[in-house]
Amino acid sequence: MTEFIPPGTRFHPLPSPFRMKRGGALHGARVAYETWGTLNERRDNAVLIVTGLSPDAHAARTPGNPADGWWEPMLGPGKPIDTDRWFVVCVNSLGSCKGSTGPASVNPDTGALYRLDFPELSVEDGANAAFDVVRGLGIEQLTCIIGNSMGGMTALAYLLLHPGAARTHINISGSAQALPFSIAIRSLQREAIRLDPQWNGGQYDDETYPESGMRMARKLGVITYRSALEWDGRFGRVRLESDRPDEEPFGLEFQVESYLEGHARRFVRRFDPNCYLYLSRSMDWFDLAEYADGDVMQGLAKIRVQRALAIGAATDILFPLQQQQQIAEGLAAGGAQAEFLPLESPQGHDAFLVDYDRFGPAVAGFLAGI
Amino acid sequence: MTEFIPPGTRFHPLPSPFRMKRGGALHGARVAYETWGTLNERRDNAVLIVTGLSPDAHAARTPGNPADGWWEPMLGPGKPIDTDRWFVVCVNSLGSCKGSTGPASVNPDTGALYRLDFPELSVEDGANAAFDVVRGLGIEQLTCIIGNSMGGMTALAYLLLHPGAARTHINISGSAQALPFSIAIRSLQREAIRLDPQWNGGQYDDETYPESGMRMARKLGVITYRSALEWDGRFGRVRLESDRPDEEPFGLEFQVESYLEGHARRFVRRFDPNCYLYLSRSMDWFDLAEYADGDVMQGLAKIRVQRALAIGAATDILFPLQQQQQIAEGLAAGGAQAEFLPLESPQGHDAFLVDYDRFGPAVAGFLAGI
């Protein structure tokens, strides 16, 4: 049904069974990935990118797929993540619907889609799956693991569960544990999907699809991914043009409403609702404190990495700056040379996908210093 | 159907017809109100309170209704709004379902409920209705008009449309115009209600009631009424007790989710969905810039008041502090002795209903200086 796999995607078979943190196992599962640049002979120039909830592995153009990737300005020859120097790998998260095995994939035990029979998914499972991809490429130690948003969680799990697996780390708008505001937002997004009668306990198809629920979930996402400050300047109180009035009672009237509607329409049929539910909840569950008797700083301090950079946007309400500061402090407590770099981007949580003038030099500067 | 009128409520008949700003008129409409204290002989000790979206007129205990009011710690003998000194009036907003005429009231022209036949509602209509109550009580000029949240908008409209109607003004967590982040949130709340099949274009009853939509709307409201900072300390990552598991797939697991669920359950059957839609949209429409060629500061500067205080919470994401600062600066530009007082309350937009240690002295101090 609803898997969305970019052309040129490569696949890594996971060990079978692949055991999941919270119980159960996957059989014959795989991880989608793409690579850029060349692995050198010493195999010590590899950089891994782990992503937020929705991206695929196509972070930038490849010979096999010349379409722009979701992080195009960051990745390529001479760009902040310079593929003339680095061999870069980007994986699609386990549990997603963009090539890696997830709830929208076929369960080999039944021949039907997993749907809600997919085992409970944790961020750690995604980290272990990514680790297996890297090992499969013959890389013993990454030069750097870069994680954005949910990927910031994945990267921390990767480092904690696989000591020595990376020399350095860039954490972008990430967090070491989910906090209640973000849990509340994600819970409401999931509720919107679950309340849609067409979700039907996960048993939808293309004809009876939980479009309304996904639209609500995505709009709430976009609201919390951006910032009030940005929107004041961008939309203000501008109304829609009068030649396209919305005749529905209480229908759209302001540009900001139309912007949300457009974002939602583009998303709802391009991401599988069950995968969304699984990945969303995996973030709620993530908490490095579990590894250190409830102390998240101690959990971070268990990570061994030589250098680290934690960056984020001052206007991020979903993964607020204090969480990136905590990451830097916790990694420093574990012996890393760790820097916290708050950026004044107005675009909120999504700034790392938009404000390349700030995020680009921060990432480039760190990698240049390796 | 769904009007909720506290015992002891008094009613003021509005002139009939009562013309609405955006067209149409109400016939035989009324405004619910309560009063505290005694109007002095000179009739110059009156204070009017205009409220946020959901409260009734029962701000505090009265002889006719000894139940605690929604602003009990603020209002009474010796309290910040001292009813030994002031004659205090609180009105239920026009368009509400708590005694004032609104979409849940009977339309005298048809004998049926107004529902979506209620004329378009603006904040200005609420201000004009409140003004008529005050005149009906024999008060030519208020000593002070106090408005919270939406009431902060109502109060500014009241002052602009009725020059000389009040000598002073306290604006609490209010704004002079709706900005896109708050419009987006309210738009999504309305969409949640409209998407509920049981809303049915406004034609619901107690048996087929848009409960899911109202629950979503209320949860989103509560998320934006409070603050991430408060919830970090209050809920952290605490789980629900294991003896009440939620068996639903992706059901409630964290305390913060249960807190939202409890708030929503208490609300959904106690506020009429159509009234919610009307009041919500009236806020989106509010913009003092309409009165000054698109310049909101000039709109504020058209208000004539002797003294003013604008206060709010640093953690408010719905009516952020800059909006209260703008009110103070705009009123000062109009000749008022106006003060902006930002408060460090962690409770977000709702702080004025919770953080009495900060809001109480601020209001008391201003009123004592009159």
Side-chain angles (χ1 to χ4, degrees), chain A residues 199-247:
Chain A
W199 178 61
N200 188 29
Q203 298 289 326
Y204 48 84
D205 57 30
D206 283 349
E207 277 67 55
T208 59
Y209 187 90
E211 186 145 345
S212 298
M214 283 293 279
R215 197 165 68 229
M216 288 287 297
R218 182 58 171 178
K219 286 188 180 182
L220 183 51
V222 174
I223 289 174
T224 54
Y225 297 157
R226 311 299 290 214
S227 89
L229 180 68
E230 182 203 8
W231 285 3
D232 290 349
R234 186 166 170 186
F235 301 115
R237 293 184 45 79
V238 176
R239 257 106 168 158
L240 294 175
E241 290 169 23
S242 57
D243 61 350
R244 39 182 250 212
D246 187 335
E247 298 293 343

Side-chain angles (χ1 to χ4, degrees), chain B residues 260-278:
Chain B
L260 290 176
E261 184 70 21
H263 260 280
R265 281 187 195 279
R266 284 194 296 278
F267 184 77
V268 294
R269 289 279 183 173
R270 310 196 113 256
F271 205 90
D272 179 76
N274 288 336
C275 294
Y276 191 92
L277 293 170
Y278 272 84

Side-chain angles (χ1 to χ4, degrees), chain A residues 4-174:
Chain A
F4 309 92
I5 307 175
T9 298
R10 294 161 69 186
F11 299 98
H12 169 83
L14 290 174
S16 188
F18 179 82
R19 307 231 168 262
M20 302 288 275
K21 180 192 176 206
R22 296 175 64 98
L26 301 176
H27 295 92
R30 67 183 190 181
V31 172
Y33 70 98
E34 295 193 21
T35 70
W36 299 260
T38 307
L39 188 62
N40 64 17
E41 287 194 12
R42 292 194 310 277
R43 298 173 178 270
D44 67 356
N45 70 327
V47 171
L48 173 67
I49 298 170
V50 281
T51 79
L53 186 150
S54 58
D56 52 36
H58 190 60
R61 290 188 288 261
T62 60
N65 183 357
D68 274 2
W70 58 265
W71 224 18
E72 193 67 44
M74 289 294 280
L75 182 60
K79 293 184 181 175
I81 304 170
D82 186 350
T83 52
D84 286 339
R85 181 176 180 198
W86 308 114
F87 174 65
V88 182
V89 183
C90 179
V91 299
N92 176 233
S93 304
L94 188 71
S96 176
C97 53
K98 307 218 169 153
S100 295
T101 300
S105 308
V106 172
N107 178 353
D109 293 345
T110 65
L113 299 184
Y114 275 108
R115 303 183 188 269
L116 303 200
D117 289 336
F118 199 78
E120 289 187 344
L121 179 73
S122 68
V123 167
E124 286 86 339
D125 300 320
N128 288 334
F131 178 76
D132 205 68
V133 174
V134 170
R135 295 295 288 266
L137 291 167
I139 298 158
E140 284 294 314
Q141 186 180 53
L142 295 166
T143 290
C144 187
I145 179 168
I146 302 176
N148 303 322
S149 185
M150 181 184 85
M153 296 174 161
T154 310
L156 293 173
Y158 192 109
L159 292 165
L160 186 73
L161 298 174
H162 304 284
R167 288 194 290 138
T168 74
H169 169 44
I170 304 178
N171 199 294
I172 301 178
S173 304

Side-chain angles (χ1 to χ4, degrees), chain A residues 22 116 177-181 183-185 187-188 190-192 194-195 197 199 212 215-216 219-220 223 227-228 231-232 235-237 239 246 248-254 256-257 260-261 274 277-278 281 283-287 290 317, chain B residues 22 116 177-181 183-185 187-188 190-192 194-195 197 199 212 215-216 219-220 223 227-228 231-232 235-237 239 246 248-254 256-257 260-261 274 277-278 281 283-287 290 317:
Chain A
R22 296 175 64 98
L116 303 200
Q177 63 179 181
L179 289 178
F181 180 84
I183 292 174
I185 292 287
S187 175
L188 204 54
R190 294 194 299 270
E191 187 168 353
R194 293 161 55 213
L195 279 175
W199 178 61
S212 298
R215 197 165 68 229
M216 288 287 297
K219 286 188 180 182
L220 183 51
I223 289 174
S227 89
W231 285 3
D232 290 349
F235 301 115
R237 293 184 45 79
R239 257 106 168 158
D246 187 335
E248 290 290 309
F250 303 97
L252 307 187
E253 177 173 342
F254 291 93
V256 67
E257 295 177 282
L260 289 176
E261 184 70 19
N274 288 336
L277 293 170
Y278 272 83
R281 191 170 54 171
M283 278 191 268
D284 288 5
W285 282 335
F286 186 66
D287 184 7
E290 282 181 9
I317 59 175
Chain B
R22 295 175 66 96
L116 302 200
Q177 61 179 184
L179 289 178
F181 180 83
I183 291 174
I185 293 287
S187 175
L188 204 54
R190 294 193 299 270
E191 187 169 351
R194 292 162 55 215
L195 278 176
W199 178 61
S212 298
R215 195 165 70 228
M216 287 287 298
K219 286 187 180 182
L220 183 51
I223 289 174
S227 89
W231 285 2
D232 290 349
F235 301 116
R237 292 185 44 80
R239 257 102 168 162
D246 187 334
E248 290 290 309
F250 303 97
L252 308 186
E253 176 171 345
F254 290 93
V256 66
E257 295 177 281
L260 290 176
E261 184 70 21
N274 288 336
L277 293 170
Y278 272 84
R281 190 170 52 171
M283 279 192 268
D284 287 5
W285 282 335
F286 186 66
D287 184 7
E290 282 180 10
I317 59 175

Side-chain angles (χ1 to χ4, degrees), chain B residues 159-181:
Chain B
L159 292 164
L160 185 73
L161 299 173
H162 305 283
R167 289 193 289 137
T168 74
H169 170 44
I170 303 177
N171 199 294
I172 301 179
S173 305
S175 92
Q177 61 179 184
L179 289 178
F181 180 83

